[in-house]
Each structure stands twice: as structure tokens, then as C-alpha cells.
Amino acid sequence: MTQNTLKTHIQTALTALEALLEQLSGNEIPLDASAPKNIADQSPTEALQNDLKERFVLYAADQGAVVALDPDWVPLFSEAMFGEEMDPDADGALDLMQEISSQGFGTVQSTLAEEGLTLPEMQFDAAAPGQAPPSSDEAAWLVPFTAQRSGGELDGLVLLPDGAEESSDASTTTESAPQESVTGADQSSGTSQPAGGGAPSSANESEGVEVSPAAFSELGDEEISGDGDSGTFKLLADVDLEVRVELGRRELPLADVLKLTTGSVVELEKMVGEPLSVYANGRLIAEGEAVVIDEQFGVRITNLASEGRREKAFF
């Protein structure tokens, strides 16, 4: 993997993470990464291991990927997720960082997939500051990055193994590789066979398959048959229809939804005294008012929607 290629992928990932942080917190949190540094030929330094030990370390042991974050990221993530800042030493800080790593990687994975780079599935473990960090022996690239927020700058670093592009380039490599000459080829028939005289490969066999478009006979003129009773709904008499009564609606940002607790009050957009909306299959068919029938709620229809809107409810 070249430095320029990695830098391009990292910028794409940062843009996706910025959108995720803005969605969670409701605020813009710009991210910036330094140029990737190739450390493949360098043995893990004591300074790097000590730096990891002072941070929250999120690592995928099977893939050799490591993300190390300064402890001050915890208040940022907790405020975005729960609406209040959490101390980095709190009991739930490690679980919070691990949850954020899963969400962040999922966002990066889907975004890079759109760019043609397929990342393998990764399960991240987490280590708190002071714990023994994972070994960085497999790291080939070091990528420091920062985040800007009102309280100051946060920093972190990413360690990546080499060969992260193999999955995306495999098909290209296979298709562009020149065909090797095979000894024992049958020159008269023009087909290549293994030197041992075995059967031709399945790929060669598939070349002889004939493919033709599907053919359909003419349907003729449209004709409606029956006993003349087709214009009624008797055929649909036993079909269940979902009827829903809506008290009101309210759109909330994800950050506000995460703040909801027992006792929270959600203010609806509908005013007191306005009629309730009655929907059939998701389409408005009537309006009404709430009533009580033998200790159960009900709705008294006060206004029907137009005939055209009611007919659409069935289709």
C-alpha cells in the first residue's frame, strides 16, 4: 500500500466519522490526520508502547489494527451518547469506548465499501489507560490524528497493518494477470489441458454455455372474466386491514432520543382540541375525537377523507 493511497482512504474515513460525531452530538467536530508514516521496518519502540499505555486502546487482535485515544475523548463520547460527561476513570468508560469503536468501524467500513475498498470484519477489544497495551509488532503504518472541539484539541493515533487493500484489489489482479502457458496443450482443438492430462477446467467448460433471452408468447387483448360481481370487495372480505389512530407526531434528533429517561415528556406538534388522525394501511382516511368505552380508549369519527384518498388506502 502506498502512502498516497492510504492517505486518500484515511481522508474518506475521517469525513464519515465527522458525520457520525455530528449526528450523535449535534455539533461539528472537525477531524484532521497527519501524513501516514511507514514504520514497517522499525521495531516497536519503547516510546510508542508507553504512549499506548497512557491511552484507551481499541484493537482488533486478528487484524493487527489499533486505535489509541486520549482519555479526554471519554467526556466527548459520553456527552454525545448520554447527554452528560463521564469521567475517564468511571466504570462504564471502557464499555463506552468499545461501543463507539464498533459504531465508528461500521461507518468507516460501509463508506469505504462505496469507494471500492472492502475491509474485513473486525471485533474490537478495549484496554484502559494503565493496562498492558497490545503489541504493535504487526503495525506497518502510524497515523496520528486530532479533533477540534470547544474545550480544546483531542489527539489519537491509528496503527494499521500493511496489505489493507488486498481484498479490494484481488479481483483486479486476477483479471489482469496474464494467462500462463500450460504444457501439454491440445494444439489441434485449441483448448488447454493440464500437463497431467486431466479434464479441462470448469471455467473453460462454462464458455460453451449458450445464453439466449427469455421468450414469452403474446398475451392477447385484455379480458375481464367472471360473473359480473368483480366490482365489489367480496373477494377481500377476509383480508385484514391495519387501522392506526395517531395522537400526534414529533421529530427528534438522535442525541435527544438518547437522553430520554423514565419521566421524560415528549411534546407533540398537535394542539389540544385538534382531531386525531385515522390511517388505513398508512393512508389518512378520517379524523375523529378520543372517547372512553368501558375503560377502553376509542375514537369517534368526525370527518371522513375524500373518496379518492379512502380508495387509495386499499392499494
Side-chain angles (χ1 to χ4, degrees):
M1 183 192 306
T2 65
Q3 184 183 46
N4 290 336
T5 301
L6 180 58
K7 188 175 182 179
T8 300
H9 292 323
I10 289 175
Q11 188 56 51
T12 302
L14 289 180
T15 302
L17 291 175
E18 285 180 351
L20 175 63
L21 290 175
E22 183 176 358
Q23 183 182 21
L24 291 176
S25 64
N27 300 315
E28 291 187 4
I29 303 177
L31 299 174
D32 184 46
S34 302
K37 180 180 179 181
N38 193 327
I39 59 173
D41 298 332
Q42 302 177 13
S43 59
T45 63
E46 183 178 353
L48 177 59
Q49 290 300 113
N50 290 335
D51 192 13
L52 294 177
K53 194 172 183 179
E54 296 176 356
R55 302 172 182 266
F56 281 91
V57 178
L58 310 168
Y59 58 97
D62 295 340
Q63 303 296 334
V66 175
V67 180
L69 300 175
D70 187 82
D72 288 338
W73 285 84
V74 173
L76 171 65
F77 291 148
S78 60
E79 185 177 12
M81 295 288 289
F82 310 126
E84 59 183 17
E85 293 188 357
M86 177 187 295
D87 190 85
D89 297 330
D91 293 337
L94 195 61
D95 293 335
L96 171 65
M97 299 297 278
Q98 194 163 4
E99 172 63 23
I100 286 293
S101 68
S102 298
Q103 293 191 28
F105 175 73
T107 300
V108 171
Q109 186 181 41
S110 59
T111 302
L112 290 181
E114 298 176 358
E115 301 292 329
L117 177 65
T118 303
L119 296 181
E121 294 295 333
M122 295 187 189
Q123 183 65 40
F124 284 88
D125 294 319
Q131 298 181 355
S135 173
S136 55
D137 293 349
E138 300 179 11
W141 295 94
L142 170 64
V143 186
F145 64 93
T146 59
Q148 303 294 332
R149 60 176 308 199
S150 57
E153 184 177 87
L154 303 176
D155 62 64
L157 59 90
V158 177
L159 296 174
L160 295 173
D162 204 5
E165 289 185 303
E166 290 179 358
S167 57
S168 63
D169 295 341
S171 58
T172 305
T173 303
T174 302
E175 294 174 359
S176 61
Q179 298 290 336
E180 296 182 0
S181 60
V182 182
T183 58
D186 187 350
Q187 299 294 336
S188 60
S189 63
T191 59
S192 299
Q193 296 183 351
S201 65
S202 58
N204 292 334
E205 292 176 353
S206 63
E207 294 178 358
V209 177
E210 295 184 1
V211 179
S212 59
F216 300 95
S217 59
E218 292 292 335
L219 298 179
D221 297 333
E222 181 180 357
E223 180 181 355
I224 301 178
S225 60
D227 55 2
D229 207 23
S230 303
T232 70
F233 287 102
K234 290 183 178 180
L235 184 64
L236 305 177
D238 296 331
V239 176
D240 293 333
L241 185 67
E242 180 184 359
V243 177
R244 175 169 53 87
V245 179
E246 185 178 278
L247 177 62
R249 295 187 180 187
R250 185 70 175 184
E251 292 186 359
L252 294 174
L254 177 60
D256 291 344
V257 175
L258 295 173
K259 295 177 184 179
L260 294 178
T261 60
T262 303
S264 298
V265 177
V266 178
E267 182 180 353
L268 303 179
E269 297 175 349
K270 185 167 291 188
M271 301 294 293
V272 176
E274 288 190 38
L276 308 181
S277 301
V278 182
Y279 293 86
N281 280 3
R283 295 183 181 272
L284 179 67
I285 62 169
E287 293 179 335
E289 59 182 5
V291 296
V292 178
I293 308 173
D294 296 334
E295 299 183 355
Q296 288 185 316
F297 278 114
V299 58
R300 177 187 290 118
I301 303 300
T302 59
N303 184 35
L304 291 175
S306 64
E307 183 176 352
R309 297 191 68 175
R310 282 185 284 134
E311 287 180 352
K312 288 182 178 180
F314 296 95
F315 307 103

mmCIF file of all heavy atoms in Angstrom, residues 32-50:
data_model
loop_
_atom_site.group_PDB
_atom_site.id
_atom_site.type_symbol
_atom_site.label_atom_id
_atom_site.label_comp_id
_atom_site.label_asym_id
_atom_site.label_seq_id
_atom_site.Cartn_x
_atom_site.Cartn_y
_atom_site.Cartn_z
ATOM 1 N N ASP A 32 -8.751 15.813 11.769
ATOM 2 C CA ASP A 32 -7.623 16.032 10.854
ATOM 3 C C ASP A 32 -6.549 14.999 11.148
ATOM 4 O O ASP A 32 -6.256 14.708 12.316
ATOM 5 C CB ASP A 32 -7.064 17.442 11.012
ATOM 6 C CG ASP A 32 -5.959 17.724 10.003
ATOM 7 O OD1 ASP A 32 -6.151 17.393 8.821
ATOM 8 O OD2 ASP A 32 -4.912 18.252 10.402
ATOM 9 N N ALA A 33 -5.966 14.429 10.099
ATOM 10 C CA ALA A 33 -4.940 13.400 10.252
ATOM 11 C C ALA A 33 -3.633 13.850 9.631
ATOM 12 O O ALA A 33 -3.619 14.515 8.585
ATOM 13 C CB ALA A 33 -5.392 12.085 9.608
ATOM 14 N N SER A 34 -2.532 13.490 10.280
ATOM 15 C CA SER A 34 -1.211 13.760 9.721
ATOM 16 C C SER A 34 -0.909 12.731 8.636
ATOM 17 O O SER A 34 -1.609 11.728 8.488
ATOM 18 C CB SER A 34 -0.146 13.694 10.818
ATOM 19 O OG SER A 34 -0.428 14.611 11.855
ATOM 20 N N ALA A 35 0.130 12.984 7.879
ATOM 21 C CA ALA A 35 0.523 12.058 6.817
ATOM 22 C C ALA A 35 0.910 10.712 7.420
ATOM 23 O O ALA A 35 1.607 10.653 8.439
ATOM 24 C CB ALA A 35 1.687 12.635 6.026
ATOM 25 N N PRO A 36 0.443 9.607 6.839
ATOM 26 C CA PRO A 36 0.802 8.282 7.350
ATOM 27 C C PRO A 36 2.317 8.070 7.329
ATOM 28 O O PRO A 36 3.000 8.457 6.386
ATOM 29 C CB PRO A 36 0.093 7.318 6.388
ATOM 30 C CG PRO A 36 -0.975 8.142 5.743
ATOM 31 C CD PRO A 36 -0.451 9.538 5.678
ATOM 32 N N LYS A 37 2.830 7.453 8.373
ATOM 33 C CA LYS A 37 4.265 7.191 8.482
ATOM 34 C C LYS A 37 4.503 5.694 8.449
ATOM 35 O O LYS A 37 3.914 4.940 9.221
ATOM 36 C CB LYS A 37 4.801 7.776 9.786
ATOM 37 C CG LYS A 37 6.288 7.566 9.992
ATOM 38 C CD LYS A 37 6.749 8.167 11.309
ATOM 39 C CE LYS A 37 8.244 7.948 11.535
ATOM 40 N NZ LYS A 37 8.676 8.514 12.848
ATOM 41 N N ASN A 38 5.355 5.271 7.532
ATOM 42 C CA ASN A 38 5.639 3.843 7.393
ATOM 43 C C ASN A 38 6.627 3.416 8.475
ATOM 44 O O ASN A 38 7.749 3.910 8.533
ATOM 45 C CB ASN A 38 6.218 3.555 6.005
ATOM 46 C CG ASN A 38 6.239 2.074 5.690
ATOM 47 O OD1 ASN A 38 6.423 1.247 6.576
ATOM 48 N ND2 ASN A 38 6.031 1.745 4.433
ATOM 49 N N ILE A 39 6.197 2.490 9.344
ATOM 50 C CA ILE A 39 7.058 2.007 10.425
ATOM 51 C C ILE A 39 7.288 0.496 10.299
ATOM 52 O O ILE A 39 7.622 -0.161 11.277
ATOM 53 C CB ILE A 39 6.453 2.330 11.806
ATOM 54 C CG1 ILE A 39 5.066 1.696 11.953
ATOM 55 C CG2 ILE A 39 6.359 3.833 12.014
ATOM 56 C CD1 ILE A 39 4.490 1.839 13.360
ATOM 57 N N ALA A 40 7.058 -0.020 9.085
ATOM 58 C CA ALA A 40 7.168 -1.461 8.894
ATOM 59 C C ALA A 40 8.567 -1.970 9.181
ATOM 60 O O ALA A 40 8.748 -3.090 9.681
ATOM 61 C CB ALA A 40 6.766 -1.830 7.467
ATOM 62 N N ASP A 41 9.581 -1.182 8.870
ATOM 63 C CA ASP A 41 10.965 -1.615 9.064
ATOM 64 C C ASP A 41 11.535 -1.208 10.413
ATOM 65 O O ASP A 41 12.726 -1.387 10.669
ATOM 66 C CB ASP A 41 11.851 -1.027 7.944
ATOM 67 C CG ASP A 41 11.431 -1.521 6.574
ATOM 68 O OD1 ASP A 41 10.886 -2.641 6.506
ATOM 69 O OD2 ASP A 41 11.635 -0.782 5.591
ATOM 70 N N GLN A 42 10.682 -0.665 11.267
ATOM 71 C CA GLN A 42 11.155 -0.244 12.576
ATOM 72 C C GLN A 42 10.608 -1.186 13.645
ATOM 73 O O GLN A 42 9.446 -1.552 13.621
ATOM 74 C CB GLN A 42 10.690 1.193 12.877
ATOM 75 C CG GLN A 42 11.145 2.216 11.852
ATOM 76 C CD GLN A 42 10.583 3.593 12.162
ATOM 77 O OE1 GLN A 42 10.061 3.823 13.238
ATOM 78 N NE2 GLN A 42 10.692 4.506 11.205
ATOM 79 N N SER A 43 11.458 -1.548 14.556
ATOM 80 C CA SER A 43 10.999 -2.377 15.670
ATOM 81 C C SER A 43 10.186 -1.508 16.617
ATOM 82 O O SER A 43 10.424 -0.303 16.719
ATOM 83 C CB SER A 43 12.195 -2.980 16.412
ATOM 84 O OG SER A 43 13.039 -1.947 16.897
ATOM 85 N N PRO A 44 9.189 -2.091 17.307
ATOM 86 C CA PRO A 44 8.366 -1.295 18.226
ATOM 87 C C PRO A 44 9.229 -0.592 19.262
ATOM 88 O O PRO A 44 10.039 -1.208 19.952
ATOM 89 C CB PRO A 44 7.459 -2.354 18.874
ATOM 90 C CG PRO A 44 7.435 -3.481 17.903
ATOM 91 C CD PRO A 44 8.784 -3.488 17.258
ATOM 92 N N THR A 45 9.084 0.714 19.327
ATOM 93 C CA THR A 45 9.888 1.488 20.250
ATOM 94 C C THR A 45 9.237 1.544 21.615
ATOM 95 O O THR A 45 8.020 1.419 21.755
ATOM 96 C CB THR A 45 10.082 2.915 19.719
ATOM 97 O OG1 THR A 45 8.800 3.562 19.645
ATOM 98 C CG2 THR A 45 10.713 2.905 18.333
ATOM 99 N N GLU A 46 10.069 1.746 22.626
ATOM 100 C CA GLU A 46 9.549 1.847 23.987
ATOM 101 C C GLU A 46 8.666 3.081 24.139
ATOM 102 O O GLU A 46 7.668 3.056 24.870
ATOM 103 C CB GLU A 46 10.718 1.908 24.971
ATOM 104 C CG GLU A 46 10.296 1.931 26.436
ATOM 105 C CD GLU A 46 11.487 1.938 27.368
ATOM 106 O OE1 GLU A 46 12.628 1.801 26.882
ATOM 107 O OE2 GLU A 46 11.272 2.075 28.594
ATOM 108 N N ALA A 47 9.011 4.159 23.405
ATOM 109 C CA ALA A 47 8.214 5.383 23.481
ATOM 110 C C ALA A 47 6.797 5.148 22.973
ATOM 111 O O ALA A 47 5.816 5.632 23.554
ATOM 112 C CB ALA A 47 8.884 6.496 22.678
ATOM 113 N N LEU A 48 6.655 4.379 21.878
ATOM 114 C CA LEU A 48 5.331 4.095 21.332
ATOM 115 C C LEU A 48 4.518 3.241 22.294
ATOM 116 O O LEU A 48 3.334 3.495 22.526
ATOM 117 C CB LEU A 48 5.462 3.398 19.970
ATOM 118 C CG LEU A 48 4.158 2.975 19.302
ATOM 119 C CD1 LEU A 48 3.249 4.179 19.082
ATOM 120 C CD2 LEU A 48 4.437 2.268 17.978
ATOM 121 N N GLN A 49 5.139 2.231 22.883
ATOM 122 C CA GLN A 49 4.430 1.377 23.827
ATOM 123 C C GLN A 49 3.998 2.169 25.062
ATOM 124 O O GLN A 49 2.891 1.977 25.583
ATOM 125 C CB GLN A 49 5.320 0.194 24.238
ATOM 126 C CG GLN A 49 5.547 -0.838 23.135
ATOM 127 C CD GLN A 49 4.243 -1.456 22.659
ATOM 128 O OE1 GLN A 49 3.819 -1.254 21.535
ATOM 129 N NE2 GLN A 49 3.604 -2.212 23.535
ATOM 130 N N ASN A 50 4.837 3.070 25.523
ATOM 131 C CA ASN A 50 4.473 3.908 26.671
ATOM 132 C C ASN A 50 3.330 4.858 26.315
ATOM 133 O O ASN A 50 2.452 5.139 27.144
ATOM 134 C CB ASN A 50 5.683 4.693 27.164
ATOM 135 C CG ASN A 50 6.724 3.804 27.826
ATOM 136 O OD1 ASN A 50 6.400 2.726 28.329
ATOM 137 N ND2 ASN A 50 7.973 4.242 27.823
#
